[in-house]
Structure formats: C-alpha cells, structure tokens
C-alpha cells in the first residue's frame, strides 16, 4: 500500500520512451514492459518530478476535470502496478530527514 506522502523515482534499470503522448516503460532487468496511454503517461510524468504523490494528485486534479476520489484511486493503482513491476521506486518522505528534537 502506498502513502501519498511517498516520493516516486524511476530506477536506473528502467528505460522510458515517450511516443506522441503515450509511453513505454521497460525494466531492463526483467525485460518486462508496460505501455501507458495519454492519461497514464501524464500521471507518470508528474509523479516522477513531484516532491510526493500528494503533490502529483493535486496537480492532476487541477489539470483534469475528474472526480477527486476516482483520480486518487486511479493514481494509486497505477503507481502500485508500476512499483510492483519494478518500473518505479517509492521512498518514504521522511527518509533522509533529521529527527526534530
């Protein structure tokens, strides 16, 4: 289960090609690939540069005329699928931060 405070990154073993408005992601270690349609590609693009998944969600909510709950579910499902296939990595937002005293 992902947390919307997690950060998303593209592992070094993943090759990404965007053709027109669609994308193909290839895991070079497993040779598994995943095709994304226009909306999935946009979700992936925003998620890989946003500071966390919640920021991705908020930006996509501004860009698309969509029910907020539907977007939240679809975004979480896509990220979970890609992470499960080794095409994205998730990092907890508190990793690398010093504890407050």
């Amino acid at each position: 289960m992902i947390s919307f405070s997690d950060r998303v990154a593209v592992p070094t073993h993943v090759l990404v090609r965007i053709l027109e408005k669609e994308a193909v992601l290839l895991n070079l270690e497993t040779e598994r690939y995943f095709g994304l349609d226009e909306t999935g590609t946009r979700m992936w693009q925003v998620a890989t540069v946003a500071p966390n998944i919640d920021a991705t969600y908020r930006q996509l909510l501004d860009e698309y005329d969509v029910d907020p709950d539907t977007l939240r579910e679809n975004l979480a499902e896509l990220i979970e699928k890609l992470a499960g296939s080794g095409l994205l990595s998730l990092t907890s937002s508190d990793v690398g931060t010093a504890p407050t005293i």
Side-chain angles (χ1 to χ4, degrees), residues 56-93:
T56 301
Y57 168 75
R58 286 184 277 114
Q59 181 172 339
L60 292 169
L61 199 55
D62 286 343
E63 291 182 21
Y64 291 96
D65 181 22
V66 63
D67 174 68
D69 291 334
T70 301
L71 175 60
R72 190 174 210 38
E73 291 171 19
N74 290 342
L75 180 60
E77 180 182 345
L78 177 64
I79 290 172
E80 286 174 353
K81 270 187 184 174
L82 293 176
S85 297
L87 297 166
L88 282 180
S89 61
L90 299 173
T91 307
S92 177
S93 62

Side-chain angles (χ1 to χ4, degrees), residues 6 20 55 89:
D6 290 346
E20 301 284 323
S89 61

